[in-house]
Amino acid sequence: MAESDLKLRREPHLEAAAPEPARIREHYDDDEVVDLAPYLLAIRERWRRIAVAALAAAAGTFLITALVLPKWYRSAAVIRPIATPAIESRIAGVLGGLGGGLGGLGGIAASLGAGGNNDAEEYIAILRGFHFNVNLAQHHKLSDELLKPGLISVIFGLKPKDPNWAIYRALEKRFDCNYSTTTADITLYFEARGRQNANRILGYYIDDLRDLLRQREIDGAAAAIESLKAEAGSTADAVLRTELYQLEAKQVQRKKMAQVEADFAFRLLDPPAASDEPYSPRPALDSVAVALLTVILTSLVVAVRNAA
């Protein structure tokens, strides 16, 4: 092979591209790197001051909560909604054995509430309602106690625009209740200054709820009696008239039962009872919380001053 036919080809020389200093500097300039060492060092140098401030704040909080602030006690009670009163079950049983020709009477009884169940959610809605709370305060003469102005109201001369709403908001803050789906119980809570007051007012809630439900049942039975009596008087069918009179008798029994039944609508499983320890304030817990908050705030102040 002739030399002219030989073509020498040089392999390209692979060299590592040298990094550009400008690009490297630009890369590091774009990254925001915060050096926390100076801040931590400043906090470490002043840890004694931070600790003293936290201890002073905790001690002051403990003294104020234990000796100055009023103590609030929380009373608790447990009630269990019961099934439909037995008299209504008996009414439903009578209607079930009347036969096909009186099927329309079953609809009448259904409209009267036969076969229904007491609903715990309904009770809770009543207990939290505006009218129930206002009527409770007026009935038991709690308005003056609930409308007693606080220190800020006295200083600035503030007065509630509507006393009823002021009463409702005061009771709403102190009262609470919840329903357990596992036990089917309703737990009621009320906070007051003093154990006896907490138990007493929570007892008002229970008694007034029972009285309201009882009166509603009595009014419903009375209306049903009048309706059935009028229907029986205008009916020409003797058999139908007889059955209407039987229904009327059942409604009379229902009304009497509501008037005399002690555990109407619900059973009181656990009467109101407030613990001998205040519910609030809690000096130990409040002191620890204030101490931790003081440590955080003072550390931030030290860090900011060091940055400036």
Side-chain angles (χ1 to χ4, degrees), residues 126 132 207-217:
I126 293 174
F132 179 85
D207 294 339
D208 285 10
L209 175 63
R210 179 180 284 115
D211 292 342
L212 185 148
L213 297 173
R214 188 192 308 276
Q215 189 60 46
R216 187 174 66 179
E217 185 75 7

Side-chain angles (χ1 to χ4, degrees), residues 128-197:
R128 295 182 182 276
F130 172 80
H131 293 287
F132 179 85
N133 283 268
V134 172
N135 292 334
L136 181 143
Q138 294 175 352
H139 179 222
H140 299 285
K141 299 180 180 179
L142 303 175
S143 301
D144 294 338
E145 176 184 351
L146 296 172
L147 292 176
K148 186 177 180 180
L151 181 60
I152 297 178
S153 299
V154 172
I155 294 175
F156 294 97
L158 301 176
K159 294 183 179 180
K161 298 179 180 180
D162 189 340
N164 289 336
W165 276 102
I167 292 172
Y168 172 69
R169 292 190 183 97
L171 289 174
E172 186 183 28
K173 292 179 181 178
R174 303 181 189 183
F175 176 79
D176 192 17
C177 60
N178 57 68
Y179 174 67
S180 174
T181 56
T182 56
T183 62
D185 297 336
I186 301 177
T187 305
L188 312 177
Y189 305 97
F190 190 82
E191 298 177 24
R193 297 183 183 181
R195 297 173 59 192
Q196 298 299 326
N197 286 337

Side-chain angles (χ1 to χ4, degrees), residues 6-308:
L6 295 176
K7 294 184 179 179
L8 299 177
R9 292 178 295 178
R10 299 182 58 185
E11 295 292 334
H13 184 65
L14 299 178
E15 297 181 354
E20 299 179 6
R23 293 181 60 184
I24 295 177
R25 286 196 300 271
E26 182 181 357
H27 174 71
Y28 283 104
D29 290 343
D30 290 342
D31 294 339
E32 295 182 0
V33 180
V34 179
D35 188 6
L36 298 178
Y39 301 101
L40 297 177
L41 182 61
I43 294 174
R44 181 180 178 182
E45 291 175 351
R46 295 168 177 82
W47 72 269
R48 290 185 177 85
R49 296 181 183 179
I50 296 174
V52 169
L55 291 175
T61 302
F62 185 86
L63 293 175
I64 293 175
T65 54
L67 303 177
V68 178
L69 295 180
K71 295 178 175 57
W72 290 82
Y73 292 85
R74 193 184 200 192
S75 179
V78 180
I79 64 175
R80 174 172 294 175
I82 61 177
T84 306
I87 187 63
E88 293 190 357
S89 298
R90 289 197 295 270
I91 292 173
V94 171
L95 290 174
L98 288 180
L102 299 176
L105 294 180
I108 296 175
S111 65
L112 298 177
N117 293 322
N118 292 309
D119 192 351
E121 294 182 357
E122 180 184 0
Y123 295 174
I124 293 176
I126 293 174
L127 290 167
R128 295 182 182 276
F130 172 80
H131 293 287
F132 179 85
N133 283 268
V134 172
N135 292 334
L136 181 143
Q138 294 175 352
H139 179 222
H140 299 285
K141 299 180 180 179
L142 303 175
S143 301
D144 294 338
E145 176 184 351
L146 296 172
L147 292 176
K148 186 177 180 180
L151 181 60
I152 297 178
S153 299
V154 172
I155 294 175
F156 294 97
L158 301 176
K159 294 183 179 180
K161 298 179 180 180
D162 189 340
N164 289 336
W165 276 102
I167 292 172
Y168 172 69
R169 292 190 183 97
L171 289 174
E172 186 183 28
K173 292 179 181 178
R174 303 181 189 183
F175 176 79
D176 192 17
C177 60
N178 57 68
Y179 174 67
S180 174
T181 56
T182 56
T183 62
D185 297 336
I186 301 177
T187 305
L188 312 177
Y189 305 97
F190 190 82
E191 298 177 24
R193 297 183 183 181
R195 297 173 59 192
Q196 298 299 326
N197 286 337
N199 294 335
R200 176 174 57 89
I201 298 176
L202 187 58
Y204 293 158
Y205 272 88
I206 297 172
D207 294 339
D208 285 10
L209 175 63
R210 179 180 284 115
D211 292 342
L212 185 148
L213 297 173
R214 188 192 308 276
Q215 189 60 46
R216 187 174 66 179
E217 185 75 7
I218 293 172
D219 293 342
I225 291 170
E226 294 298 326
S227 177
L228 290 170
K229 186 181 296 184
E231 185 69 21
S234 61
T235 300
D237 190 340
V239 177
L240 182 57
R241 187 185 306 112
T242 301
E243 300 301 340
L244 287 171
Y245 282 137
Q246 289 181 0
L247 280 178
E248 181 184 347
K250 296 300 181 182
Q251 291 301 317
V252 172
Q253 293 178 9
R254 172 187 170 194
K255 180 179 178 181
K256 296 298 182 183
M257 184 67 70
Q259 291 173 339
V260 302
E261 191 176 5
D263 292 333
F264 180 77
F266 57 84
R267 292 187 179 91
L268 180 60
L269 301 183
D270 190 16
S275 173
D276 56 347
E277 294 292 334
Y279 182 74
S280 67
R282 301 177 182 178
L285 182 62
D286 295 341
S287 300
V288 172
V290 170
L292 293 176
L293 182 62
T294 303
V295 170
I296 295 173
L297 292 178
T298 52
S299 300
L300 290 175
V301 170
V302 169
V304 170
R305 288 184 176 180
N306 182 73

